[in-house]
Structure formats: structure tokens, C-alpha cells
Amino acid sequence: MSESNSNNLKAENPIGIFDSGIGGLTVAHAIKELLPEEQLIYFGDTAHLPYGDKASYSIKHYATELSKFLLDQGCKVIVIACHTASSVANEEVKSVVGDQALVINVVEPVIGKLIRESQNGGKKVGIIGTKGTIQSEVYPTRLSAQDESIEVRPLATPLLCPMIEEGFIDDRISETVIESYLKQDQLSAINKIVLACTHYPLIKKQIDNYYQGGVEIIDSSEEAAMHLKELLTEHNLLNQKLSKEHHFYVSDYTPSFEKSTHFFFGEKVKLEKGSIWS
Ligand code: DGL
């Protein structure tokens, strides 16, 4: 169906959100808070987790297949709730979606905010994310093209995702890992830090503690939710009343994924096995 010219652009249709796993539930949560009348259809590609270490051709393939699944569910907008996929597969997702639905990712809203606010100072910006996101150089490339005065300091922080998934968030282990990354020279004297991974909002408080409030923390899930609201408003696609249930699909179901959902979504959710990959 996704290859037809079907048009999902109706206000009552759901918002489709995907990530490599359950980390993107932080984005789903921010969307639910801001747009409580919208039905959400979430897909976590747990069979291919983590995306952060994968080759870009694999991520492009997964991201386009997930987008087709969400289009077939009637989604009016596809939210790429994964920085790694947003960094390497945005164009491929847009091309497969065409004019059937809108597309947003989690990188553009952050770039927009950094550019808008750069004249207020704070031009030394740290970026922490997976190896895939950092190696894509999406932030330095996009930012320097628009505002040469912003100094971008990217750092891959690959231990943070597995640490968060294992529930090490607010203890000595997480404190040590967070500190050992944030004290690196690459991030010295920054004014802002971008949480360029959808897992990281869970350690926002700990990052803030490290900087003792002296560095502005940019949470891409909040920025993406605000951008989504603006886009739906602009296209007259805001739903008036929630009348259908949310659905949360994963490609590889395990009880431990389900158990962890409350960390990311703020409440436990029931995961359904979605069949995309045979
Ligand atoms: N949630 C993914 C992101 O935002 C990170 C997890 C992964 O490596 O798959 O990049």
C-alpha cells in the first residue's frame, strides 16, 4: 500500500514514530505530553538494535522499511525518533514517504534552535551521541553551513546507551561513565550540550549535575515534539479528540524490553510484536 499514491494526510490519522529500540519512547513521551489528543503508533526495531554501530546502508534499509510499515498503518507523519537514523537515512525516508505523509527527524529541530539562538552567545556547542551520529558529521556540516561562528565539539559516547538500557542511570557506575566522557578535552569550556541520542534524556539530570547548571542542555525529544506541533498546526492536521488506542510495536519482543519501557515512556506500555522482518 505504501507504494501507491494513498494519502494519509488526515487530522484523525495517527502519528508514526520509529527508533532502533525503545529509546525513542522518550520522543513518544514528549509528543504525548504536548499533543495528548494524538494517537501514536510506535515501532522499535529491537531486532537490529543498536543502530549506532551499524553501516549506513543497513540503517537506510531498516529506516525505509519501518517507514513503509507506519505508512501502511495510515500515519499522517513519520517521526524518525533516532538520531542515528535521522543522521544517515533522512533523505531515504523522505523519498519513500513522498507526499503520502509528513516526515520529521530529531536533528533538524535542534539545528534550528542552535541557529536561532546563536546570536545570544553560547557558541561553543558540545554534541554527544552514538558513533553513527558523530561519524555522520551531520551537526558540524549543517551548522557550519549556516553559521560559521558556532564552534561544534562532537564526541561519540557509545557506552551511554547500553548503560541506560541496563538501568544504570543514577548511581556510582553511571556517574563515573558520564564524568569520564564529559571531562574530555573535546568538551571543555562548552556553553551548550546537545543530547544527540534519544536515550540521553534519561540522564539529563545527571549531566546537569556534572555541569552544576552552567551548561545549557538541549533535549532533542522536547525540540522534536515542539517542531511536530508547529508542523501539524501549519498543515491543519492537529487531531481534536483522541479516540483510538496507541500501539507500540517491536521487531523482537522480550519481556525485558517491556519491563524497561517505563523508564523511557514514564509508564509501562504493552509491546506488540510487529512483523516487518521475516
Ligand atoms: N536511540 C538511538 C539514537 O538516538 C541510539 C541507540 C542505537 O544505537 O540504536 O541514535
Side-chain angles (χ1 to χ4, degrees):
M1 203 213 296
S2 49
E3 272 139 35
S4 74
N5 287 327
S6 71
N7 192 324
N8 293 349
L9 295 167
K10 297 182 190 77
E12 67 274 20
N13 283 17
I15 292 173
I17 305 166
F18 78 82
D19 177 44
S20 56
I22 51 177
L25 286 172
T26 56
V27 181
H29 175 72
I31 294 172
K32 186 177 87 110
E33 292 294 293
L34 197 64
L35 299 167
E37 303 305 336
E38 300 290 341
Q39 184 200 4
L40 309 181
I41 306 231
Y42 182 89
F43 201 110
D45 188 14
T46 46
H48 297 118
L49 184 81
Y51 280 8
D53 297 330
K54 297 275 183 314
S56 60
Y57 58 81
S58 299
I59 299 166
K60 286 173 184 172
H61 174 62
Y62 305 147
T64 49
E65 292 303 310
L66 295 166
S67 302
K68 287 187 211 162
F69 174 90
L70 293 171
L71 282 178
D72 286 346
Q73 306 287 310
C75 294
K76 61 187 170 188
V77 55
I78 309 292
V79 180
I80 311 176
C82 171
H83 271 271
T84 316
S86 297
S87 305
V88 305
N90 188 49
E91 290 315 310
E92 287 72 14
V93 168
K94 276 184 151 164
S95 126
V96 83
V97 171
D99 56 8
Q100 299 174 77
L102 306 175
V103 176
I104 77 157
N105 65 52
V106 284
V107 171
E108 296 299 331
V110 173
I111 304 257
K113 180 182 167 71
L114 290 170
I115 299 288
R116 269 193 320 277
E117 295 176 1
S118 81
Q119 58 271 51
N120 308 336
K123 290 178 184 282
K124 205 166 171 183
V125 181
I127 313 278
I128 51 171
T130 64
K131 287 184 204 161
T133 299
I134 299 304
Q135 282 164 6
S136 77
E137 298 192 334
V138 67
Y139 280 98
T141 310
R142 295 289 316 282
L143 286 167
S144 63
Q146 292 186 65
D147 185 342
E148 283 185 341
S149 68
I150 299 178
E151 191 185 332
V152 187
R153 299 298 202 96
L155 181 72
T157 48
L159 278 181
L160 295 182
C161 269
M163 178 191 90
I164 294 166
E165 276 180 14
E166 290 301 325
F168 296 103
I169 285 174
D170 202 4
D171 54 21
R172 275 186 31 232
I173 292 177
S174 57
E175 201 180 314
T176 308
V177 175
I178 291 168
E179 190 196 325
S180 62
Y181 280 133
L182 299 185
K183 74 176 187 204
Q184 304 223 357
D185 287 350
Q186 177 71 350
L187 296 179
S188 69
I190 53 171
N191 319 104
K192 300 179 182 180
I193 188 160
V194 176
L195 308 185
C197 172
T198 51
H199 283 63
Y200 300 176
L202 291 168
I203 50 166
K204 186 174 174 178
K205 189 175 86 174
Q206 290 69 21
I207 293 176
D208 195 37
N209 287 348
Y210 175 84
Y211 288 119
Q212 300 179 342
V215 167
E216 184 188 349
I217 300 173
I218 300 176
D219 178 344
S220 63
S221 9
E222 286 168 6
E223 297 306 321
M226 284 189 282
H227 179 64
L228 175 62
K229 185 174 182 183
E230 281 163 20
L231 194 71
L232 293 178
T233 309
E234 186 189 313
H235 286 82
N236 217 2
L237 284 173
L238 279 176
N239 196 23
Q240 297 310 313
K241 180 132 188 59
L242 179 63
S243 55
K244 292 189 189 140
E245 277 186 3
H246 304 312
H247 285 280
F248 300 90
Y249 296 100
V250 282
S251 46
D252 184 42
Y253 175 86
T254 67
S256 82
F257 281 133
E258 189 160 81
K259 221 167 128 232
S260 306
T261 54
H262 75 274
F263 278 146
F264 293 90
F265 197 61
E267 60 189 86
K268 193 162 181 272
V269 298
K270 186 165 168 14
L271 296 179
E272 301 168 53
K273 169 88 172 66
S275 45
I276 297 186
W277 324 103
S278 45

